[in-house]
Amino acid sequence: MAYVKFTNLQKTTWLAHKKFRLINLDLELTERCNNACIHCYINQPQDNRKVKDREMDTKIIKDILHQAADLGCLSVRFTGGEPLLREDFSDIYVFARQLGFQVEILTNATLISTQLCQLFQRLPPGKPLSVTVYGMHAHSYDTVVGRRGAFKEFRKGINLLQDYKIPFKVKQSLLPQNKHEMAEFEAFSASLPHMEHPPTYSINFDLRGRRDDQSKNRLISKLRYSPEETLELFTRQPDKYIKGMQAFAKKHLGHPSNLIFSCGAGANPCVDAFGNLQLCMLLRHPDTIYPLDSEQHHINHPETDLPPLEYGLKVFFPEVRRLTATNPEYLNRCAKCFLSGLCEQCPAKSWEEHGTLDMPVEYQCEVTHAQAQFLGLIQNGEKAWTLPPQIWKERLAKFVANNEDKL
């Protein structure tokens, strides 16, 4: 697929005026990070000059934020890499708050300083900071992030946030190196005043989004849990898991389709560190991104007066979302599978794993089938896509009805 380019003004105008409202925007300020996490799908070295030189400058970031505000956007999430690496972070942050955005910051907390805490105290973000925890002790933490002394910096950052009473929440990347610390992490999480719910975990990590490091991909693959181990983690509280899956199944299962994008991609768009609009944070396939360079945008689309962000959201994205699968393997499996709403198979994961948008990801399929068998939606050895509709519809209806009786 080539970039979508419209020459029909009537069609462009019709698409552009479809009902749409931008609520949240993810903005990657950099792909660089002061950590070198063994599982990370994006990070570049902190001192990578070539990457730094390609990053959006302050003026471009502010222009994109202004365009988002004009579209009624309510919140922006600064992420990376490590967004606090940007020398102009404070300037960008203040600008976003002055535009009225609620700001969420995804950080490892190792670069939290007294100056930043004073800024957050004077001009609160509007949302708690989101801090990822990689271990509860120096050995596990430093092993995961690939840097000695990182845990000490993390604890210093956490202590500063607590001293200045800056709201923050925590989540954990769950890896073999820190899995044994789950109880300790959950106790730490429960002690934090702004943790209204149990913490979330990231597992079974994504491969490199830019398909730029096959050796790193092999390492990431080895860090993933088996389908059986994944199911064990999901079902630590089996009654709660089944109850949640009943509600999920009622809403999301039983809708097989040959559309590549059956997810909500585009509803919470992302701008990468180099000024490209993405349907989501993970998908970096070149045919699904829209460059937000204003000069190039007006050269490519002289027929429209829409700013690049609005054009990308209202015109380019709807066309991408209409894509249908052409890969026979996808059409004979994913497009016929009533579990597709449960499966984490998506265009982003297909791109990361295979370099295309519509190739089944076997690992995701195995994890999904393990869950479905536990829930009684399939039997041992069955493949969901081979079941006749009358059978899977009956099983799905029975699962929902049986668990509704328990609610």
Side-chain angles (χ1 to χ4, degrees), residues 257-260 324-337 358-360 385:
S257 170
N258 66 347
L259 284 172
I260 293 176
T324 56
T326 58
N327 181 354
E329 191 172 353
Y330 186 100
L331 292 171
N332 290 324
R333 288 179 54 172
C334 305
K336 296 180 179 179
C337 185
D358 60 351
M359 174 68 75
W385 63 85

Side-chain angles (χ1 to χ4, degrees), residues 10 14 83 162 180 210 230-231 243 351 357 366 396:
Q10 185 178 8
W14 178 79
Q162 292 177 318
H180 62 285
R210 299 203 183 278
T230 302
L231 181 63
K243 180 179 178 180
W351 162 248
L357 296 173
E366 292 171 358
L396 189 55

Side-chain angles (χ1 to χ4, degrees), residues 40-171:
C40 189
Y41 74 96
I42 187 175
N43 63 318
Q44 296 289 344
Q46 176 178 351
D47 58 355
N48 189 321
R49 192 72 209 181
K50 289 183 178 179
V51 172
K52 184 177 181 180
D53 288 344
R54 290 180 55 221
E55 292 171 358
M56 293 181 288
D57 62 27
T58 314
K59 182 179 178 181
I60 292 174
I61 291 172
K62 288 182 176 180
D63 180 55
I64 291 171
L65 288 171
H66 219 300
Q67 291 181 56
D70 289 343
L71 289 171
C73 187
L74 301 176
S75 68
V76 62
R77 182 165 60 169
F78 291 138
T79 181
E82 173 49 57
L84 301 185
L85 272 178
R86 293 273 309 215
E87 292 88 347
D88 57 356
F89 175 81
S90 295
D91 186 16
I92 294 168
Y93 170 78
V94 170
F95 184 80
R97 290 297 287 126
Q98 289 174 338
L99 284 174
F101 289 112
Q102 289 188 315
V103 175
E104 183 179 0
I105 302 164
L106 274 61
T107 178
N108 58 38
T110 61
L111 298 177
I112 294 293
S113 64
T114 299
Q115 291 76 18
L116 277 175
C117 287
Q118 290 172 342
L119 173 60
F120 298 150
Q121 196 175 62
R122 184 174 70 254
L123 187 62
K127 289 189 175 183
L129 275 68
S130 179
V131 177
T132 304
V133 180
Y134 300 107
M136 295 302 297
H137 299 278
H139 177 72
S140 57
Y141 192 102
D142 292 359
T143 300
V144 169
V145 307
R147 188 167 64 87
R148 183 174 295 179
F151 179 74
K152 184 177 180 180
E153 295 172 6
F154 160 74
R155 286 302 322 181
K156 180 182 177 182
I158 292 295
N159 290 339
L160 280 170
L161 292 173
Q162 292 177 318
D163 289 345
Y164 280 87
K165 296 181 171 54
I166 307 301
F168 70 96
K169 297 182 179 182
V170 294
K171 56 186 179 179

Side-chain angles (χ1 to χ4, degrees), residues 317-378:
F317 276 2
E319 287 297 297
V320 175
R321 284 190 55 84
R322 291 189 183 95
L323 288 175
T324 56
T326 58
N327 181 354
E329 191 172 353
Y330 186 100
L331 292 171
N332 290 324
R333 288 179 54 172
C334 305
K336 296 180 179 179
C337 185
F338 77 100
L339 299 175
S340 58
L342 174 62
C343 186
E344 290 196 20
Q345 160 80 35
C346 71
K349 296 183 188 298
S350 178
W351 162 248
E352 294 166 354
E353 303 267 347
H354 303 298
T356 184
L357 296 173
D358 60 351
M359 174 68 75
V361 178
E362 194 64 37
Y363 174 73
Q364 302 297 343
C365 186
E366 292 171 358
V367 170
T368 301
H369 276 66
Q371 293 179 76
Q373 186 175 335
F374 176 86
L375 296 171
L377 294 172
I378 61 171

